[in-house]
């Protein structure tokens, strides 16, 4: 990715800790609309050097430098399972960014609730290329 190239998409996200602490009521709501588990929403912008997640919270955007990322995967796990995620690993599995400090972010890019589809396969590929 060259310095002038940017890619952006709408995102919904949650920290692993937010997913693991979600109570029964939020998990039940997520069966109807999985966005109930993802409190962060905005625009993700990927440049050569960083991933910016706008509107993360009261502090505004957060910026993730690529050297702070230890691993990127796209999968269901015990914190966000296939049953809630629409069942399709191809389109519904979250992109998980694991940071060197132990923080894990679960992201859905351009999530379409009615179809339970995302652009996560393309974003996983972009992020892995960015990290390489």
């Amino acid at each position: 990715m060259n310095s002038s190239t940017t890619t952006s998409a709408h995102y919904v996200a949650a920290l692993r800790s937010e997913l693991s602490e979600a109570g029964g009521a939020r998990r039940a709501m997520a069966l109807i609309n999985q966005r109930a588990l993802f409190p962060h929403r905005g625009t993700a912008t990927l440049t050569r050097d960083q991933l910016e997640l706008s509107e993360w919270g009261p502090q505004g955007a957060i910026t993730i430098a690529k050297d702070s990322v230890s691993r990127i995967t796209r999968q269901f796990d015990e914190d966000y399972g296939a049953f809630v995620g629409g069942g399709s690993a191809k389109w519904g599995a979250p992109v998980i960014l694991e940071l060197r400090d132990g923080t894990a972010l679960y992201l859905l890019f351009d999530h379409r609730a009615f179809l339970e589809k995302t652009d996560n396969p393309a974003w996983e590929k972009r992020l892995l290329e960015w990290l390489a």
Side-chain angles (χ1 to χ4, degrees):
M1 175 173 281
N2 70 42
S3 61
S4 64
T5 302
T6 60
T7 304
S8 64
H10 294 289
Y11 78 88
V12 295
L15 299 173
R16 176 175 284 145
S17 59
E18 292 169 328
L19 291 173
S20 65
E21 294 167 3
R26 275 189 52 214
R27 291 205 176 269
M29 286 175 25
L31 294 174
I32 297 166
N33 183 350
Q34 62 183 308
R35 290 181 187 208
L37 293 175
F38 293 86
H40 309 284
R41 322 167 181 285
T43 301
T45 304
L46 182 65
T47 66
R48 183 183 74 181
D49 300 318
Q50 66 186 25
L51 172 64
E52 180 180 289
L53 301 173
S54 76
E55 304 171 50
W56 182 263
Q59 78 278 13
I62 62 169
T63 301
I64 300 167
K66 71 168 133 180
D67 64 354
S68 69
V69 178
S70 62
R71 187 168 92 136
I72 297 169
T73 59
R74 185 172 55 86
Q75 64 187 20
F76 291 115
D77 64 13
E78 65 277 354
D79 294 304
Y80 186 72
F83 186 68
V84 172
S88 169
K90 180 174 182 179
W91 298 110
V95 171
I96 305 171
L97 265 68
E98 294 183 42
L99 306 182
R100 296 194 189 284
D101 69 2
T103 303
L105 291 84
Y106 289 62
L107 296 136
L108 302 178
F109 294 97
D110 286 332
H111 176 253
R112 283 144 345 252
F114 180 72
L115 300 172
E116 294 299 349
K117 277 184 85 173
T118 66
D119 288 343
N120 284 2
W123 269 85
E124 177 193 30
K125 181 180 177 194
R126 281 185 198 108
L127 288 165
L128 287 170
E129 289 171 354
W130 170 71
L131 194 58

